[in-house]
Amino acid sequence: MECLIGIRFNDYVLLAADTVDARSIVVMNHDEEKFCKVSDQVMMAVCGEAGHTDNFSEYIQKNVKLYKMRYTYELSPKATAHFTRRTMAEYLRSSTPYNCNLIVGGYDNTTNKAELFFIDYLASISELPYCAHGYGGYFVLSTMDAHYKPDLPLEEGVKLLKLCIQEIAKRFLVNLPLYKVKLINKDGIQDLPTIQGGELVKYQILIRWKEVKNIKVQRVGEVEMGLKNHELVPQALVASIAGLRHGGTHKVLRELCKNRLLCYEHDGYRLTNSGYDYLGLQTLVARGVISGFGNQIGTGKESNVYTVGNEEGEALCLKLHRLGRTCFRNLKEKRDYHKHRHKASWLYLSRISATKEFAYLTALHNRGFKVPRPVDFNRHCVIMELVKGTPLCQVYQVDDPASMYDEAMNLLVNLANHGVIHGDFNEFNIILGEDNHLVLIDFPQMVSTSHENAEMYFDRDVQCIIDFFKRRFNYESELFPTFADVEREDSMDVEIAASGFTKEMDADLDEIIHTKKSESDGDEDDEEEDDSSDEASVEEEEKPDAAANKETLDNGPTISEKPEEKSHEEFEELQEKFSTALAELKLGDGSVPPKRLSNRLDSCSESVSGFSMVSRSTVATIAPEVIRDRVKKTFQRADKMHSKKRIQAKGEASATTRQRRENRDNIKQTGGIWGWE
């Protein structure tokens, strides 16, 4: 499953080798070095069994150096290649043959020309203008036959090499993600920038632009405009927006449906995910943000992540938001994207999610947080920096877990100090960078510290980190932050309109932040006096929501607070009371009077609220009336879903079948009248 490529031009040689070490279907290493520097102007690329390649290449390298020490001059590339072939043949006839394939390239200062040699494990040698080892050779040689010219300059030669790697990435079943490239010329051996296997697969190829390029794909955008007020866009509306005749519109829409950019349902057209991808990526390509499309590097319940490249050859990250998957459809409960809308399409919600994430990335990056650098976005596509590192979920050993734990907790508190809570702060959304620092990703679910459940979200993020370090690194610390440790330093939630923040809180939070900063400049005694007077004046002027928000910020409960201790037996008794009350409510048979049931729920809620650790029980925060309404609505919804629906005939065939069935039943019922019995 390996691939070596060699190309010889008049003045230089290019060698490329992938970095994957695989055996059968198992990848052993992603950073395998397959080059061996034999001399100052001779390089050898080797593939094969791991032990054989290392031993044989080192043996050739040491013998060539020994020759130089004995005779004071180096072997030419041709002499080195033939010495390598002879050594391979000698071991082939012994009991310990080497299973290696090699490409030897170099520059001969005597003849002033570049040379390239192809050697296989059977000790056969050939001098060729271009060659390849591995399965990639089946795709590379045809490309070389069509585009190779010996007098190409270096830039054109590198483009030809990239074209070969692009062909492998497009046609080869196995993903070879990275290629290292070496240049050998009269100045010696040089390292060229690495090439990503899928980086140069053009987006036109990915979504079949060869089939779409002759179609007027502007109609896709016009269908998108029609979806603003229509669930299915009629053909007449598309023709009206496009200014075309009906016949021409139908032909174009039919071709777009054939290429799965649109979907026809009943009497209208709907935009598909591929069509929406086309619109977003076409805009980004037109802006010059991306020029190449690579491999998929991640997927989740809300998005797909790919590698892309820009015109400068820089590798970037593309995130396509994909809301509406079956594993994550209860979006109204998890996000506030709908706001006042009762219904919204998944494509529109994906666009809102991408817009929010880009806003979060920009705000966090401008404040110096360790997040990917935002580049651009359009519709549901977000372009950001490609972070080089390893997801924390794939890290199994670290030198100092204590420092990493402290860094994660400090990052969590720093976010809260700026007014936001991540909401999904776990090992899957944290990357350990090459500098051994944590990089945070995935932000659509972030909420404001003014959210009504902000403390619950904060404590959940803290607990996720505690559980991960205990489970993965066997590290447990007694020190962890609480929501009371949050001190407002910035109002980033105001800037990005984070979930849970209202406009009425804006002025109040600015006043709180200003008060905290002014208090930090005074003496401690003055601070205590100012606090008492300021709090009294603010409580009179603030609205109830703002007062509740200030109380959450300044006097929020900590995890370690225990207002009242109760025995374990009392807690179990109260739990049993509450479960019994809910069971009686669920029955709804009228056996329990409403007043008695309400009193029982109230007494349970008052008693359970006396227990506090973090007060995670829903009884402490949800009124009994709300519980009754929710349970009632749940059962009404279930009854409605399970109720029998009238079967309606769909289509002419169903109506005919129903008519025949009714006639047959009538004949059976009236058969005795005509004497058929």
Side-chain angles (χ1 to χ4, degrees):
M1 298 299 178
E2 299 171 298
C3 182
L4 305 179
I5 304 173
I7 312 175
R8 184 199 70 196
F9 298 94
N10 291 339
D11 300 326
Y12 62 94
V13 173
L14 290 177
L15 294 179
D18 70 287
T19 60
V20 174
D21 179 19
R23 291 294 172 269
S24 181
I25 61 173
V26 180
V27 176
M28 312 299 293
N29 188 9
H30 286 280
D31 192 18
E32 182 73 12
E33 181 63 46
K34 298 181 181 179
F35 290 107
C36 178
K37 182 180 179 181
V38 180
S39 62
D40 292 340
Q41 290 183 318
V42 179
M43 175 67 72
M44 183 166 56
V46 191
C47 67
E49 296 185 10
H52 292 196
T53 56
D54 293 339
N55 293 337
F56 186 78
S57 60
E58 186 177 356
Y59 178 83
I60 299 297
Q61 181 187 46
K62 300 301 182 183
N63 277 274
V64 171
K65 288 184 178 180
L66 180 61
Y67 185 91
K68 180 181 179 181
M69 294 172 62
R70 285 178 177 176
Y71 301 104
T72 67
Y73 65 90
E74 294 181 342
L75 289 174
S76 65
K78 185 174 183 178
T80 302
H82 283 278
F83 171 73
T84 304
R85 188 215 68 84
R86 189 187 69 181
T87 306
M88 179 75 72
E90 291 176 353
Y91 278 98
L92 182 65
R93 293 174 177 85
S94 68
S95 59
T96 56
Y98 284 104
N99 187 11
C100 301
N101 296 307
L102 306 96
I103 296 178
V104 180
Y107 188 86
D108 192 349
N109 290 323
T110 304
T111 59
N112 291 326
K113 68 175 185 178
E115 297 176 332
L116 184 70
F117 298 89
F118 175 91
I119 305 174
D120 64 5
Y121 71 101
L122 296 176
S124 63
I125 186 171
S126 299
E127 184 175 4
L128 300 171
Y130 50 84
C131 57
H133 274 301
Y135 286 104
Y138 294 104
F139 312 105
V140 167
L141 298 180
S142 60
T143 304
M144 296 289 190
D145 292 338
H147 301 283
Y148 173 78
K149 294 180 181 179
D151 57 348
L152 290 177
L154 179 59
E155 293 183 358
E156 297 296 327
V158 173
K159 287 184 179 180
L160 177 58
L161 180 61
K162 289 182 178 180
L163 186 63
C164 296
I165 296 175
Q166 169 187 335
E167 194 71 15
I168 296 173
K170 183 177 69 173
R171 297 185 178 275
F172 192 29
L173 178 65
V174 179
N175 178 28
L176 302 176
L178 197 65
Y179 289 81
K180 292 183 179 180
V181 184
K182 301 290 184 179
L183 169 66
I184 306 104
N185 55 14
K186 62 181 180 180
D187 298 327
I189 301 173
Q190 304 175 26
D191 292 332
L192 295 182
T194 58
I195 302 175
Q196 291 192 2
E199 178 182 344
L200 301 172
V201 180
K202 295 296 182 181
Y203 182 71
Q204 295 95 314
I205 299 174
L206 185 71
I207 64 166
R208 306 180 306 280
W209 265 19
K210 289 184 178 180
E211 302 175 12
V212 180
K213 63 181 180 180
N214 294 325
I215 305 173
K216 294 183 178 180
V217 290
Q218 303 95 293
R219 306 295 86 81
V220 180
E222 287 148 8
V223 173
E224 182 191 20
M225 295 172 60
L227 286 173
K228 183 177 181 180
N229 299 314
H230 294 76
E231 185 176 356
L232 296 173
V233 184
Q235 179 179 330
L237 180 60
V238 178
S240 176
I241 297 175
L244 298 176
R245 294 177 298 177
H246 293 270
T249 306
H250 175 72
K251 182 178 179 181
V252 173
L253 293 178
R254 183 181 60 187
E255 292 297 324
L256 293 174
C257 290
K258 184 186 299 183
N259 289 279
R260 298 182 181 179
L261 299 181
L262 297 179
C263 178
Y264 179 77
E265 295 181 3
H266 304 294
D267 295 327
Y269 293 87
R270 175 179 58 83
L271 193 61
T272 62
N273 283 329
S274 298
Y276 207 51
D277 293 345
Y278 169 81
L279 291 173
L281 291 174
Q282 184 196 37
T283 304
L284 294 173
V285 171
R287 293 177 184 173
V289 178
I290 62 174
S291 61
F293 201 95
N295 301 323
Q296 183 173 349
I297 59 176
T299 185
K301 64 182 184 299
E302 299 181 70
S303 61
N304 293 337
V305 184
Y306 300 86
T307 57
V308 295
N310 57 15
E311 296 177 352
E312 290 77 19
E314 179 186 5
L316 300 174
C317 177
L318 167 67
K319 185 172 182 179
L320 297 177
H321 288 253
R322 288 269 194 268
L323 296 183
R325 288 173 172 163
T326 54
C327 62
F328 190 68
R329 283 184 171 266
N330 54 344
L331 202 65
K332 284 188 177 181
E333 301 177 9
K334 305 295 184 181
R335 306 282 190 271
D336 61 347
Y337 299 161
H338 289 77
K339 294 185 178 178
H340 61 277
R341 303 176 187 86
H342 181 64
K343 293 182 179 179
S345 68
W346 292 115
L347 296 180
Y348 179 71
L349 296 177
S350 299
R351 180 173 188 161
I352 295 177
S353 178
T355 305
K356 280 183 172 290
E357 177 152 23
F358 187 80
Y360 289 135
L361 274 174
T362 304
L364 291 171
H365 186 265
N366 293 340
R367 288 166 172 80
F369 283 90
K370 294 284 289 184
V371 297
R373 173 178 56 86
V375 179
D376 199 356
F377 83 102
N378 183 264
R379 292 178 175 86
H380 67 313
C381 308
V382 179
I383 305 293
M384 65 188 80
E385 173 192 9
L386 181 63
V387 179
K388 296 182 179 180
T390 306
L392 199 58
C393 60
Q394 299 178 9
V395 177
Y396 292 91
Q397 186 176 1
V398 293
D399 297 332
D400 190 4
S403 61
M404 185 184 296
Y405 174 86
D406 293 340
E407 183 179 358
M409 291 302 183
N410 291 334
L411 178 59
L412 188 60
V413 174
N414 197 15
L415 283 173
N417 290 341
H418 283 76
V420 292
I421 299 173
H422 189 272
D424 197 13
F425 197 81
N426 54 47
E427 64 271 19
F428 299 99
N429 295 326
I430 302 175
I431 296 178
L432 182 62
E434 293 182 341
D435 56 354
N436 290 328
H437 287 289
L438 301 181
V439 181
L440 192 60
I441 60 173
D442 195 13
F443 306 99
Q445 69 285 333
M446 289 182 71
V447 298
S448 170
T449 51
S450 303
H451 194 279
E452 57 182 355
N453 297 323
E455 183 176 357
M456 184 271 290
Y457 289 129
F458 184 86
D459 294 339
R460 187 179 65 180
D461 288 348
V462 171
Q463 193 61 41
C464 285
I465 297 301
I466 294 174
D467 293 342
F468 171 73
F469 275 83
K470 182 179 179 180
R471 179 179 66 255
R472 180 64 56 85
F473 306 120
N474 197 23
Y475 175 81
E476 189 173 4
S477 175
E478 297 180 355
L479 302 177
F480 55 88
T482 64
F483 194 69
D485 299 331
V486 176
E487 297 181 358
R488 267 282 189 165
E489 299 176 2
D490 195 0
S491 55
M492 188 167 61
D493 52 346
V494 183
E495 177 182 335
I496 57 183
S499 176
F501 186 86
T502 59
K503 294 182 179 180
E504 290 78 5
M505 300 177 184
D506 193 358
D508 300 319
L509 283 179
D510 289 341
E511 183 179 353
I512 292 172
I513 295 171
H514 179 72
T515 303
K516 286 182 176 291
K517 289 183 179 180
S518 62
E519 287 174 358
S520 62
D521 298 334
D523 297 329
E524 294 182 358
D525 297 335
D526 296 336
E527 288 178 5
E528 295 178 357
E529 296 176 1
D530 294 340
D531 285 345
S532 59
S533 60
D534 291 343
E535 288 178 3
S537 60
V538 169
E539 287 178 357
E540 294 176 359
E541 298 175 359
E542 282 182 337
K543 296 182 179 180
D545 292 342
N549 180 46
K550 178 174 176 59
E551 184 180 355
T552 303
L553 289 173
D554 295 338
N555 302 319
T558 62
I559 293 179
S560 59
E561 290 181 0
K562 296 183 178 180
E564 185 178 352
E565 294 288 342
K566 293 194 176 185
S567 65
H568 182 68
E569 292 77 7
E570 293 180 4
F571 181 77
E572 288 184 349
E573 181 181 355
L574 291 171
Q575 248 187 343
E576 184 178 356
K577 285 183 181 180
F578 184 71
S579 300
T580 305
L582 280 181
E584 294 172 348
L585 175 61
K586 189 178 297 186
L587 292 176
D589 54 357
S591 58
V592 182
K595 183 176 181 181
R596 177 184 171 188
L597 183 60
S598 176
N599 294 335
R600 188 174 299 179
L601 286 172
D602 293 340
S603 62
C604 290
S605 62
E606 292 173 1
S607 302
V608 175
S609 62
F611 290 88
S612 182
M613 282 294 284
V614 155
S615 185
R616 296 188 183 275
S617 174
T618 56
V619 184
T621 57
I622 303 178
E625 296 79 7
V626 178
I627 295 176
R628 284 194 291 270
D629 292 340
R630 289 184 180 179
V631 173
K632 183 178 179 181
K633 289 180 180 179
T634 301
F635 281 97
Q636 288 178 349
R637 194 181 304 114
D639 293 340
K640 185 176 180 180
M641 290 176 60
H642 294 295
S643 62
K644 294 183 179 180
K645 298 181 179 179
R646 180 175 175 270
I647 302 176
Q648 298 179 353
K650 295 183 179 180
E652 191 173 334
S654 299
T656 304
T657 303
R658 188 178 70 255
Q659 185 65 34
R660 289 176 179 174
R661 189 182 299 113
E662 292 176 355
N663 293 339
R664 186 167 55 250
D665 293 340
N666 291 335
I667 292 172
K668 287 182 179 181
Q669 293 174 6
T670 60
I673 300 176
W674 304 100
W676 293 347
E677 294 182 351

